[in-house]
């Protein structure tokens, strides 16, 4: 019970096993909007099977995740990014 309240996960108290919280890279860069033409930045958030990676994997905040999804879909429409990789 005490371990749940003080933030430790039941291990030896030195923080082993605790994962570091991911930080939104777009918030760090203070990006107002995500440009669909910047394929190098967008490609980092697409898996090798061309699926959009979820927030829990990338650590992006909800606002930027929504903008990122729109940017990826726009880039796919004008063939800057593939829909599917073979």
């Amino acid at each position: 019970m005490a371990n749940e309240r003080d933030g430790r996960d039941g291990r030896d108290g030195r923080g082993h096993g605790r994962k570091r919280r991911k930080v939104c890279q777009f918030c760090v860069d203070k990006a107002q909007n995500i440009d669909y033409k910047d394929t190098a930045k967008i490609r980092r958030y697409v898996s090798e099977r061309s699926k959009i990676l979820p927030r829990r994997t990338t650590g992006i905040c909800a606002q930027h995740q929504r903008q990122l999804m729109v940017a990826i879909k726009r880039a796919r429409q004008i063939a800057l990014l593939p829909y599917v990789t073979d």
Side-chain angles (χ1 to χ4, degrees):
M1 288 282 219
N3 288 341
E4 292 174 357
R5 278 185 255 123
D6 65 6
R8 285 186 258 152
D9 58 312
R11 303 234 177 172
D12 60 355
R14 286 182 248 155
H16 296 286
R18 190 183 311 168
K19 291 188 178 182
R20 185 175 174 199
R21 181 157 186 215
K22 296 176 183 166
V23 180
C24 177
Q25 194 59 42
F26 295 108
C27 289
V28 171
D29 296 339
K30 295 181 179 163
Q32 296 296 323
N33 53 9
I34 300 171
D35 190 18
Y36 67 92
K37 293 172 278 193
D38 191 5
T39 57
K41 189 177 283 189
I42 291 175
R43 206 175 290 265
R44 292 176 34 205
Y45 301 102
V46 177
S47 71
E48 57 269 354
R49 295 186 60 113
S50 298
K51 289 186 171 184
I52 300 171
L53 295 174
R55 282 184 55 212
R56 66 180 179 270
T57 306
T58 59
I60 297 176
C61 67
Q63 176 186 5
H64 286 119
Q65 179 71 20
R66 287 190 294 270
Q67 289 180 6
L68 180 69
M69 287 179 56
V70 171
I72 290 171
K73 290 175 184 180
R74 284 182 181 167
R76 284 176 175 169
Q77 267 189 325
I78 62 170
L80 295 176
L81 288 177
Y83 281 99
V84 181
T85 55
D86 293 329

